[in-house]
C-alpha cells in the first residue's frame, strides 16, 4: 500500500513539474511574440484597430477577453494583424482544443453560429473580430 501511495505522489509531483515547465515555456513565447510592444487597454486596442471600421467596443473587448481566457495569456500587447497560423501558432501546442473552445465561447457570448469553415478561415485577430461582428449584425437583422 505504501508503494502505491509513493508512486502516486511521484506521478503527481512529476505532473505538476511538467505543467509548470510548459507554462513557463508558453510565457517565454508570449513575451517573444509581443516583444517591443506596449500594452493597450481594451479602449486603446479598439481605437487603434477597429473604431474606424465601425466595430463596437463591446465586440472587440469581448473577443480579446475570450482569447485571453482560453489561451491563458496576457494579450494586452496584441495587434489586429497577429496571426494564429504564424506568429501565434505556438498557442495550439499547449492546448490543442483551445480553438474549439474559443469558437464555442464566441458563439455563446455573442449569440451567433460559426461554421467550421468560417472558423478555419479566420487566422488573424482582425479576421476573428470581423467574423464575429459580421455574424452579430446578421443575427440582429429582422426576420423576413
Amino acid at each position: 500500500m505504501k508503494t502505491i501511495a509513493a508512486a502516486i505522489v511521484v506521478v503527481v509531483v512529476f505532473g505538476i513539474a511538467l505543467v509548470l515547465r510548459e507554462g513557463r515555456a508558453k510565457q517565454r513565447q508570449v513575451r517573444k511574440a509581443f516583444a517591443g510592444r506596449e500594452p493597450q487597454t481594451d479602449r486603446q486596442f479598439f481605437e487603434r484597430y477597429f473604431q474606424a471600421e465601425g466595430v463596437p467596443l463591446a465586440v472587440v473587448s469581448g473577443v480579446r477577453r475570450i482569447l485571453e481566457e482560453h489561451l491563458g495569456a496576457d494579450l494586452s500587447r496584441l495587434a489586429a494583424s497577429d496571426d494564429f497560423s504564424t506568429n501565434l501558432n505556438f498557442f495550439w501546442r499547449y492546448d490543442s482544443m483551445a480553438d474549439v473552445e474559443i469558437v464555442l465561447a464566441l458563439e455563446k457570448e455573442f449569440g451567433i453560429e460559426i461554421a467550421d469553415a468560417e472558423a478555419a478561415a479566420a487566422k488573424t485577430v482582425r479576421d476573428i473580430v470581423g467574423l464575429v461582428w459580421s455574424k452579430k449584425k446578421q443575427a440582429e437583422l429582422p426576420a423576413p
Side-chain angles (χ1 to χ4, degrees):
M1 197 64 155
K2 287 182 181 181
T3 306
I4 292 172
I8 291 171
V9 168
V10 169
V11 168
V12 169
V13 169
F14 180 74
I16 291 170
L18 185 61
V19 167
L20 291 173
R21 182 175 169 208
E22 285 184 353
R24 286 190 300 270
K26 180 169 79 171
Q27 291 311 315
R28 277 194 303 274
Q29 288 184 296
V30 167
R31 282 192 304 276
K32 181 179 175 184
F34 299 143
R37 297 185 193 178
E38 290 296 318
Q40 303 173 82
T41 64
D42 280 347
R43 177 156 294 283
Q44 290 169 323
F45 182 69
F46 160 74
E47 289 172 353
R48 181 179 216 170
Y49 299 113
F50 297 101
Q51 185 174 22
E53 298 173 21
V55 179
L57 172 61
V59 170
V60 175
S61 61
V63 168
R64 191 164 88 159
R65 178 181 45 76
I66 288 169
L67 291 172
E68 280 187 338
E69 287 172 3
H70 291 277
L71 297 175
D74 172 13
L75 299 181
S76 65
R77 297 181 292 164
L78 195 65
S81 60
D82 282 325
D83 191 320
F84 288 99
S85 67
T86 57
N87 72 311
L88 300 182
N89 68 352
F90 63 87
F91 279 113
W92 313 134
R93 281 183 250 150
Y94 299 101
D95 186 353
S96 62
M97 292 300 293
D99 55 344
V100 174
E101 293 167 355
I102 289 167
V103 170
L104 293 173
L106 292 170
E107 289 177 331
K108 182 178 179 185
E109 174 82 12
F110 296 104
I112 59 174
E113 290 185 24
I114 300 172
D116 291 345
E118 293 170 321
K123 306 259 187 240
T124 66
V125 175
R126 183 174 305 286
D127 293 343
I128 296 167
V129 170
L131 175 61
V132 169
W133 176 228
S134 171
K135 292 288 190 172
K136 186 147 178 62
K137 287 190 299 188
Q138 287 175 347
E140 293 172 353
L141 289 175

